[in-house]
Structures are given as C-alpha cells and as structure tokens.
Amino acid sequence: MFTKTTEQDSLYDGLEHMSSTELLSSINKEDQKVATAVEKVIPQIESLVHVIVEKMKSGGRLFYIGAGTSGRLGILDASECPPTFGVPHDKIIGLIAGGDTAIRMAVENAEDDKNQAIVDLNKYNITHNDVVIGIAASGTTPYVLGGLKACNAKKIVTGSITCNAGNPIALEANYPITPIVGPEFVTGSSRMKAGTAQKMILNMISTTVMIQLGHVKGNKMVDMQLSNDKLVDRGTRMIMQQTGLNYENANRALKEYGSVRDAVNHIGNC
C-alpha cells in the first residue's frame, strides 16, 4: 500500500470560476514546486547516470518505456538526442505502450498489458549491456512494471522515474528516481507537474550522459547533425569562434568535413 499523491485532490477548487489570470498564476505557482522536487533527487539521478555512461562506453544502449504522457516524453527525449549530439538513432530508444499509434492518440488498454514491454524490447535484441528506464507518474503502470520485472530477470540494469513515494515500479527498479511533486492543479492530471518533473529529469539524464561521452566541447554541440539552415549557420559560427576564420571559410570547412568537431580538428592540425 502507498499513497498516490499525484491523484489526491488539488489544492485549488472552483477552477471554472477563476479568471484566466488566476488560473495561469496558480498553475505557475504549482509548477515552481517541481524544480525543488527534482533538486532533491539529484543524487539518485547521478547514480543512474553513472551506470548509463559505463554501459554506453561498452556499446550499450538506453531504452525508455512508458505509457501515455510518460511514454511520449521518453520518445521525445530519445528522438532529440541524434540531432543534438550526433549519436545514432538506435543508441537511445523510446518505446510506448500501444506502439507508434499511441504517440498521437490513446490506445485503449495498451498500458494494462504487463507482458508487452519485454516483447517490444526484445525486438531490439536487448542485452545486459543495455539500460532500461521505466517512466510512469503513478508508479503502477502494468506495461512499465512488467517490463522492468522482465529486465531484472535477465540481469538488465533498470531505472525508473515516478512521482509517488514507495510505488511498485520504484521498488522494482535498480535505480529509482522519485520526485514528489504533490497533487496536480487539475486533480489527477499527471501530465502537468509530474510530466514536467519527468521531462526535466530526462533532459538531465540524456544531456549529462552525452556530455560525459564526449559529444560536447566547452559548451558547444560539436557533433550536432546539420539538418537545416539554422544549424548550419550555428555550426559555422562555432567554427568561427574556435578558429578565427571568417564566415565564408568557416562555412566552407563545415560543409567539407561534415561536423563542427571534424572541421575544427582539421583546421587545428593544419
């Protein structure tokens, strides 16, 4: 037994009678509690980051599994890593109960299948070199809980991001992260504070891991994919800053060598 604080009654009532200013200010007041809750679990985040870095250095991958909002947040974080840090698309993988259809619309009862997550993970030939993080605001989602149990049985490292103390998923994970954000502004709407906390923690995990794996130099995304004009311009200016070249020559070097890192390294060796 545990208390689902994410589903307790909101601290506010009569929301339909509030003005827009009152609603926005009250939501913002609640959101300010999220950063404090996340700050309290930094030691737990750090422990998980350390093991992810070590596994990835040995060729392992990072998987996120979740349902609904939690699953979508995992997919969002995973999908942003290749363009930001230049890693392959199969290095950080987000899986959602119900498959890709569930990214845009709810798939009825998908999260209730406790056996489906390991089926989805096995499609990627998951091994003990990988790390699996279960994301679930309540900490009870069968898809996530079943997936972590199956991974633990295979000696695969597991982590979790949940928002209720003492929940089953946190108890199952090797490296649980549990920011306690309290009741939502709209009772039970865990896409709000709980979702914000999960997004913050995912940002912290993936960014720290990528930095420690060498994909950032100074404070620059030197391995980012040059997938549009904005990023080509940004990469060009990075090279200008690092090498002293003018815009035209820096842009030419970027296009020739394909990345900020390679262009700067080549120029530095000339």
Side-chain angles (χ1 to χ4, degrees), residues 203-219:
N203 281 347
M204 294 166 75
I205 290 172
S206 58
T207 302
T208 303
V209 167
M210 292 295 102
I211 291 171
Q212 294 193 339
L213 290 176
H215 294 291
V216 171
K217 184 175 182 180
N219 56 20

Side-chain angles (χ1 to χ4, degrees), residues 131-144:
V131 178
V132 176
I133 300 177
I135 312 169
S138 67
T140 60
T141 307
Y143 177 84
V144 176

Side-chain angles (χ1 to χ4, degrees), residues 61-121:
R61 299 162 294 174
L62 173 60
F63 289 85
Y64 300 132
I65 58 172
T69 297
S70 297
R72 295 181 190 105
L73 289 171
I75 289 171
L76 174 63
D77 192 74
S79 66
E80 289 177 340
C81 287
T84 304
F85 301 109
V87 295
H89 286 275
D90 61 356
K91 198 67 175 175
I92 302 178
I93 299 166
L95 301 175
I96 186 170
D100 285 354
T101 299
I103 297 172
R104 293 184 177 272
M105 62 184 71
V107 176
E108 189 174 358
N109 298 325
E111 71 173 53
D112 297 326
D113 189 339
K114 65 181 181 181
N115 298 314
Q116 187 59 44
I118 192 61
V119 173
D120 294 341
L121 288 165

Side-chain angles (χ1 to χ4, degrees), residues 1 20 53 63 159 171 184 186 210:
M1 297 296 294
S20 295
V53 170
F63 289 85
L171 295 175
E184 297 287 0
V186 175
M210 292 295 102

